[in-house]
Structures are given as C-alpha cells and as structure tokens.
Amino acid sequence: MNDSVDALLQARTSRNWLSALPTRPASEAEAYAIQDAVARRLGPVAAWKVGARTPDSEPFRAPIHADTLFFDTTALPAANFQVIGMEAEIAYKFARDLPPRAEPYSREEVLDAVESVHPAFEIVDTRFAGFGSQDPLSHMADQFNHGALVVGPAIADWRSLEPLKERVALVVDGERKIETVAGNSAGEPVRLLVWMANKGAVSLGGLKAGDVVTTGSHIGTVMVPAGSTSVAVYGTMGTYELTVG
C-alpha cells in the first residue's frame, strides 16, 4: 500500500501522471486506507466529498484539504488541473465538531450542527494518465477524482431547501449544457451527512467545526475547456459562476 501512497503524492508534485498504481487496492477498505494515508501526509482535512450511486446504496467519500478548497472564488488557473470536469453541487458547512462516538448521531443532531448551506462547484481531476482510465477502486484511492471544491455564498433560510426538487442547470460560455431536477444520483443529501458523521469521517477524526461537506453532483460531470466560464443556475439558490483559465 505504501508504494501506491508514495506514487499518488509524487504525481501531485511532479505532474507525471500514473499509468496505474504500483499496488492496486483489492477492496474498498484498501482504497480508503490509501486515501487516508495520502490525506494524513497532505495535512489537516478541511472538507469532504460524499456521494452515492443510488438513493439506497452505501455512500462513498474522500477528504479534501485547504489547498484545493476555495470560498467565493470566481476564477482558478487552468494550470492547476490535468482535466476540468465541472460538477454543480450543494455543500454544507458545519458549525461544531461531531467527533466519533459509540452512539450513532441522529439526523436531527447532524442538522443542528450545520452552520450554512452553499451552492458549490467541484472540479474533478485525476492523478492518472487519462480520466476514467483506471479501475473504480484505484480512482477511489485517488481522492475519488477530486481536483478542487469552490464554495459559493451561504443561502438564506437553508432549512427550507428541498434538494430533491431543486432545478440545476450548467451554462458554459453561454451555452446551456444540461438541466435537471433531482439530478443527484444519491437522492436526499442529509442521509449522506449522517453517514459521514457516523462512519465516513471517523477514520480521520470525525467532522469538525468549519468543515464543508459537498454532497454530489446534480448535473453529472461536464468536461469543459481551459479558459471557459461555467455558471451553475439553481432553482432557489441563485447562480454561481467560475472561470477556469
């Protein structure tokens, strides 16, 4: 496992993209162990990405660090990325710690720990030579294809938000690429937050005050060229714009 951890860290600094991991994970537990080992060497966790393939399936997660977390940013350098995959998401910022404990946190306890809700872009990227070129467990080990998380302004009255009814569109350089309602494959996002509190974040110390948890794309992944401007248009959450160039 250590050779794969070293390879992923070296690819980040050298930008010599990997053809494969030296030791491919054989299970989700091994993929998460690589994720966590990379995370510990990158420094404190500042955010998380979480999602699920269906509304009933086990969620998955990856830690995010301060160097790829941005607030109220409208432009990022394209040179930061190998590929630029735009995902329009809903992110939750936590006001207080939810440390690991024996008794599971309830839905109400998790919601009470939330400070604010935000529109967000996740940019997906890869440390491999080609997006989607590896087996799923290798991509899981590679921070689940995380490139950057850009968090927009807090929305008013977030408790009235109905994510399953939220219309989300992505406009790239003036062209509407996709528009969906309830486009997040994970379904209702609060169950993802509860899973993070009770399971997903436990191996790295649990959720902490100030952490942002982004809960999966509502539009899939839309690959965009360097220099383009993407605008996420939400039904009730306003719009958020990001140029990567």
mmCIF file of all heavy atoms in Angstrom, residues 82-83 85 87 124-126 128-134 139 145 221 223:
data_model
loop_
_atom_site.group_PDB
_atom_site.id
_atom_site.type_symbol
_atom_site.label_atom_id
_atom_site.label_comp_id
_atom_site.label_asym_id
_atom_site.label_seq_id
_atom_site.Cartn_x
_atom_site.Cartn_y
_atom_site.Cartn_z
ATOM 1 N N GLN A 82 -5.235 18.738 -14.666
ATOM 2 C CA GLN A 82 -4.978 17.980 -15.884
ATOM 3 C C GLN A 82 -6.224 17.988 -16.771
ATOM 4 O O GLN A 82 -6.148 18.241 -17.968
ATOM 5 C CB GLN A 82 -4.587 16.531 -15.551
ATOM 6 C CG GLN A 82 -4.334 15.692 -16.781
ATOM 7 C CD GLN A 82 -4.206 14.204 -16.516
ATOM 8 O OE1 GLN A 82 -4.085 13.414 -17.444
ATOM 9 N NE2 GLN A 82 -4.239 13.783 -15.257
ATOM 10 N N VAL A 83 -7.377 17.711 -16.166
ATOM 11 C CA VAL A 83 -8.665 17.807 -16.845
ATOM 12 C C VAL A 83 -9.574 18.658 -15.976
ATOM 13 O O VAL A 83 -9.345 18.817 -14.772
ATOM 14 C CB VAL A 83 -9.302 16.424 -17.103
ATOM 15 C CG1 VAL A 83 -8.421 15.587 -18.014
ATOM 16 C CG2 VAL A 83 -9.572 15.683 -15.792
ATOM 17 N N GLY A 85 -13.406 18.842 -15.028
ATOM 18 C CA GLY A 85 -14.760 18.309 -15.036
ATOM 19 C C GLY A 85 -15.616 19.080 -14.046
ATOM 20 O O GLY A 85 -15.373 19.034 -12.834
ATOM 21 N N GLU A 87 -18.839 20.031 -11.836
ATOM 22 C CA GLU A 87 -19.991 19.427 -11.167
ATOM 23 C C GLU A 87 -20.648 20.487 -10.282
ATOM 24 O O GLU A 87 -19.975 21.103 -9.450
ATOM 25 C CB GLU A 87 -19.557 18.225 -10.325
ATOM 26 C CG GLU A 87 -18.947 17.109 -11.153
ATOM 27 C CD GLU A 87 -18.661 15.854 -10.364
ATOM 28 O OE1 GLU A 87 -18.699 15.896 -9.111
ATOM 29 O OE2 GLU A 87 -18.402 14.815 -10.995
ATOM 30 N N VAL A 124 -13.576 17.953 -10.960
ATOM 31 C CA VAL A 124 -12.970 16.633 -10.869
ATOM 32 C C VAL A 124 -11.728 16.588 -11.749
ATOM 33 O O VAL A 124 -11.641 17.236 -12.789
ATOM 34 C CB VAL A 124 -13.963 15.507 -11.239
ATOM 35 C CG1 VAL A 124 -15.145 15.509 -10.287
ATOM 36 C CG2 VAL A 124 -14.432 15.634 -12.665
ATOM 37 N N ASP A 125 -10.741 15.836 -11.287
ATOM 38 C CA ASP A 125 -9.443 15.734 -11.938
ATOM 39 C C ASP A 125 -8.884 14.351 -11.612
ATOM 40 O O ASP A 125 -9.560 13.532 -10.989
ATOM 41 C CB ASP A 125 -8.538 16.862 -11.444
ATOM 42 C CG ASP A 125 -7.351 17.142 -12.352
ATOM 43 O OD1 ASP A 125 -7.236 16.490 -13.409
ATOM 44 O OD2 ASP A 125 -6.529 18.009 -12.001
ATOM 45 N N THR A 126 -7.670 14.086 -12.022
ATOM 46 C CA THR A 126 -7.101 12.760 -11.799
ATOM 47 C C THR A 126 -5.587 12.841 -11.730
ATOM 48 O O THR A 126 -4.981 13.729 -12.346
ATOM 49 C CB THR A 126 -7.519 11.779 -12.908
ATOM 50 O OG1 THR A 126 -6.967 10.494 -12.647
ATOM 51 C CG2 THR A 126 -7.061 12.254 -14.279
ATOM 52 N N PHE A 128 -4.030 10.113 -12.654
ATOM 53 C CA PHE A 128 -3.729 9.075 -13.638
ATOM 54 C C PHE A 128 -3.648 9.679 -15.038
ATOM 55 O O PHE A 128 -4.187 10.759 -15.303
ATOM 56 C CB PHE A 128 -4.790 7.975 -13.604
ATOM 57 C CG PHE A 128 -4.812 7.214 -12.311
ATOM 58 C CD1 PHE A 128 -5.853 7.391 -11.403
ATOM 59 C CD2 PHE A 128 -3.798 6.321 -11.994
ATOM 60 C CE1 PHE A 128 -5.877 6.686 -10.210
ATOM 61 C CE2 PHE A 128 -3.816 5.614 -10.797
ATOM 62 C CZ PHE A 128 -4.851 5.809 -9.899
ATOM 63 N N ALA A 129 -2.998 8.963 -15.921
ATOM 64 C CA ALA A 129 -2.843 9.426 -17.303
ATOM 65 C C ALA A 129 -4.117 9.100 -18.070
ATOM 66 O O ALA A 129 -4.206 8.112 -18.788
ATOM 67 C CB ALA A 129 -1.635 8.764 -17.955
ATOM 68 N N GLY A 130 -5.122 9.933 -17.873
ATOM 69 C CA GLY A 130 -6.411 9.743 -18.535
ATOM 70 C C GLY A 130 -7.535 9.627 -17.529
ATOM 71 O O GLY A 130 -7.501 8.760 -16.649
ATOM 72 N N PHE A 131 -8.519 10.513 -17.652
ATOM 73 C CA PHE A 131 -9.658 10.495 -16.742
ATOM 74 C C PHE A 131 -10.483 9.234 -16.992
ATOM 75 O O PHE A 131 -10.810 8.901 -18.129
ATOM 76 C CB PHE A 131 -10.521 11.733 -16.959
ATOM 77 C CG PHE A 131 -11.641 11.863 -15.985
ATOM 78 C CD1 PHE A 131 -11.401 12.261 -14.691
ATOM 79 C CD2 PHE A 131 -12.943 11.577 -16.356
ATOM 80 C CE1 PHE A 131 -12.430 12.390 -13.778
ATOM 81 C CE2 PHE A 131 -13.983 11.699 -15.457
ATOM 82 C CZ PHE A 131 -13.723 12.096 -14.162
ATOM 83 N N GLY A 132 -10.807 8.510 -15.924
ATOM 84 C CA GLY A 132 -11.581 7.284 -16.050
ATOM 85 C C GLY A 132 -10.804 6.121 -16.630
ATOM 86 O O GLY A 132 -11.399 5.134 -17.057
ATOM 87 N N SER A 133 -9.478 6.213 -16.614
ATOM 88 C CA SER A 133 -8.655 5.190 -17.261
ATOM 89 C C SER A 133 -8.378 3.980 -16.379
ATOM 90 O O SER A 133 -7.843 2.984 -16.855
ATOM 91 C CB SER A 133 -7.312 5.800 -17.692
ATOM 92 O OG SER A 133 -6.574 6.251 -16.556
ATOM 93 N N GLN A 134 -8.735 4.054 -15.096
ATOM 94 C CA GLN A 134 -8.389 3.004 -14.148
ATOM 95 C C GLN A 134 -9.633 2.280 -13.639
ATOM 96 O O GLN A 134 -10.764 2.679 -13.901
ATOM 97 C CB GLN A 134 -7.625 3.608 -12.960
ATOM 98 C CG GLN A 134 -6.386 4.376 -13.355
ATOM 99 C CD GLN A 134 -5.350 3.516 -14.033
ATOM 100 O OE1 GLN A 134 -4.940 2.485 -13.491
ATOM 101 N NE2 GLN A 134 -4.910 3.916 -15.217
ATOM 102 N N HIS A 139 -9.458 4.702 -8.699
ATOM 103 C CA HIS A 139 -9.951 6.079 -8.684
ATOM 104 C C HIS A 139 -10.455 6.459 -7.293
ATOM 105 O O HIS A 139 -10.289 7.614 -6.867
ATOM 106 C CB HIS A 139 -11.052 6.256 -9.728
ATOM 107 C CG HIS A 139 -10.541 6.296 -11.129
ATOM 108 N ND1 HIS A 139 -9.688 7.280 -11.577
ATOM 109 C CD2 HIS A 139 -10.745 5.469 -12.190
ATOM 110 C CE1 HIS A 139 -9.399 7.064 -12.851
ATOM 111 N NE2 HIS A 139 -10.027 5.970 -13.245
ATOM 112 N N ASN A 145 -11.154 11.262 -7.556
ATOM 113 C CA ASN A 145 -11.085 12.196 -8.683
ATOM 114 C C ASN A 145 -11.284 13.653 -8.278
ATOM 115 O O ASN A 145 -11.714 14.470 -9.108
ATOM 116 C CB ASN A 145 -12.115 11.830 -9.775
ATOM 117 C CG ASN A 145 -11.918 10.430 -10.308
ATOM 118 O OD1 ASN A 145 -10.801 10.017 -10.601
ATOM 119 N ND2 ASN A 145 -13.003 9.683 -10.419
ATOM 120 N N THR A 221 -20.970 14.959 -14.612
ATOM 121 C CA THR A 221 -19.685 15.620 -14.820
ATOM 122 C C THR A 221 -19.644 16.151 -16.239
ATOM 123 O O THR A 221 -19.816 15.391 -17.192
ATOM 124 C CB THR A 221 -18.512 14.648 -14.600
ATOM 125 O OG1 THR A 221 -18.583 14.107 -13.283
ATOM 126 C CG2 THR A 221 -17.178 15.349 -14.786
ATOM 127 N N MET A 223 -17.228 17.977 -18.867
ATOM 128 C CA MET A 223 -15.868 18.375 -19.170
ATOM 129 C C MET A 223 -15.882 19.699 -19.933
ATOM 130 O O MET A 223 -16.641 19.866 -20.891
ATOM 131 C CB MET A 223 -15.166 17.303 -19.991
ATOM 132 C CG MET A 223 -14.935 16.010 -19.226
ATOM 133 S SD MET A 223 -13.837 16.276 -17.816
ATOM 134 C CE MET A 223 -13.801 14.631 -17.100
#
